[in-house]
Each structure stands twice: as C-alpha cells, then as structure tokens.
Amino acid sequence: QSVLTQPPSVSGAPGQRVTISCTGSSSNIGSIYDVHWYQQLPGTAPKLLIYGNNNRPSGVPDRFSGSKSGTSASLAITGLQAEDEADYYCQSYDSSLSGSVFGGGTKLTVL
Amino acid sequence: EVQLVESGGGLVQPGGSLRLSCAASGFTFTNYYMHWVRQAPGKGLVWVSRISGGGSSTNYADSVKGRFTISRDNAKNTLYLQISSLRGEDTAVYYCARERSTGGDALDIWGQGAMVSVSS
C-alpha cells in the first residue's frame, strides 16, 4: 500500500479533460514538500512531467498542468490525445520516512 | 547528451548479492543527488535510496535498509547499488535517476533500467 493514494484508472475520450488525484498526509504533501508527476509509457522508463507542484520541464506540452492544495495534488490533462495513454505517478517527500514516496500509479485509457 | 546507463542486473538465488552500476554522462555528476527507484513486474514505482553529490549523505526505504548500500565514484561518474540478502520481493527493474538541481526531489533524468530476478 502506497503512502500516496492515486485512483487505479481513469479514462477519457480524445479532446476531453481528465484529472488524476494524489492524496497524502501532513508528513508529505500537506507539509512543505513539493509534488512531482511522471508519465510512463509501456515498456519505457518514467519521464518527468511536472515538478514543484505546477512546473513543466522543457518540452512538456502545456496540456499538462499540476496543482496542490492541502494534503492533495492533482494532474490535469486537457485536449486528450491517444499518445497520452500511459501510467502516471505522483511523488513527494515524506518527513516521517525520511525519503521520497510515490503514489501507486494511475492508468490512463484514451477511449 | 545527458544520459544514465545501468548495468549489472541478472538472475540471482535467494540470499545472494548483486551490484548494480549506473554510468552517467553529459553532465557534472558530482553536482547532483542521485536515486535508485525500482518497479516490480506489473507494479508501480517504489523509491529505494538517495545519495548526495559528494556521497556523504544517504537515505534508504525501510524495506531495504540494512540490505542495500548506495554509493558513488565521482571520478568514474558512476553510481552503485549493492544489494544483498536478496528475496523474491526484490525482483524488479531497478532505475537510477538524477535529482533536479532545483525544484525539490524531482527526478529529471532516468536510465533505461536493469532487471534483477531473484529465484532458485
């Protein structure tokens, strides 16, 4: 069981908007620690999608955005495309564990 | 090109040991914290360990503490993970990753992964 909780799956039609939630606690997201998001396409290494709650690395489309409030964070994807079908993971730091923690991952299906 | 390349994976018997290596290129290795993250077949990402740029500070997930040792050789631009007392649940792809210089502990560069299989 992961320290950060994500829905196992979400889906949406092309062009739609979907959101993926990531729920933590006062020792991680609810504290001073940032949330980061990763995209993992089948058979490949994870790719950084969002860092510092809401910042996109160079090359990541602005269809991807992140937010954080209280003990939760969210990843939003607008204008859904077939190539967005992947697994998505949130990550933060946990002061109780003295280390990084990942969510369990969310599989995005583009209908 | 900024790159991380893992090596050293393989099939190991329960109770055995293995050392994974991660060769870095294209950036000033000593300036960055480095991490190991693993992923069991069909499962999610699990953080394993982190080491500071100079190598003096390390952190481990509780599940590997006392069995895994992270280290680095900055002269060789190489990160290591010594894994011992291996168990079936250690079977996974092991990724090395670079922590961004700013923006918290976000991991901006990942290797392709090294598969470790624990079986008799």
Side-chain angles (χ1 to χ4, degrees), chain A residues 36 38 40 45 51 89 91 100, chain B residues 39 44 47 100 103 105-107 111:
Chain A
H36 321 297
Y38 301 86
Q40 187 177 33
Y51 68 92
Y89 296 89
Q91 178 215 353
S100 299
Chain B
Q39 186 171 36
W47 178 79
R100 275 181 58 92
D105 57 346
L107 306 176

Side-chain angles (χ1 to χ4, degrees), chain B residues 8-37:
Chain B
L11 176 62
V12 189
Q13 290 190 336
S17 299
L18 203 63
R19 189 178 80 162
L20 301 178
S21 300
C22 170
S25 59
F27 63 98
T28 305
F29 184 62
T30 191
N31 287 353
Y32 290 86
Y33 279 75
M34 297 295 295
H35 296 241
W36 287 98
V37 176

Side-chain angles (χ1 to χ4, degrees), chain B residues 18-103:
Chain B
L18 203 63
R19 189 178 80 162
L20 301 178
S21 300
C22 170
S25 59
F27 63 98
T28 305
F29 184 62
T30 191
N31 287 353
Y32 290 86
Y33 279 75
M34 297 295 295
H35 296 241
W36 287 98
V37 176
R38 69 182 180 181
Q39 186 171 36
K43 302 296 185 182
L45 302 175
V46 176
W47 178 79
V48 172
S49 184
R50 174 202 199 213
I51 187 169
S52 61
S56 60
S57 174
T58 59
N59 301 93
Y60 297 91
D62 287 344
S63 59
V64 307
K65 216 171 279 186
R67 298 189 302 123
F68 289 17
T69 302
I70 190 171
S71 63
R72 63 193 297 162
D73 185 336
N74 286 342
K76 295 183 178 179
N77 289 341
T78 303
L79 173 72
Y80 301 102
L81 185 68
Q82 179 70 43
I83 51 182
S84 58
S85 303
L86 279 160
R87 311 163 180 167
E89 54 263 38
D90 296 319
T91 294
V93 174
Y94 285 74
Y95 295 102
C96 63
R98 186 184 81 170
E99 181 177 310
R100 275 181 58 92
S101 55
T102 59

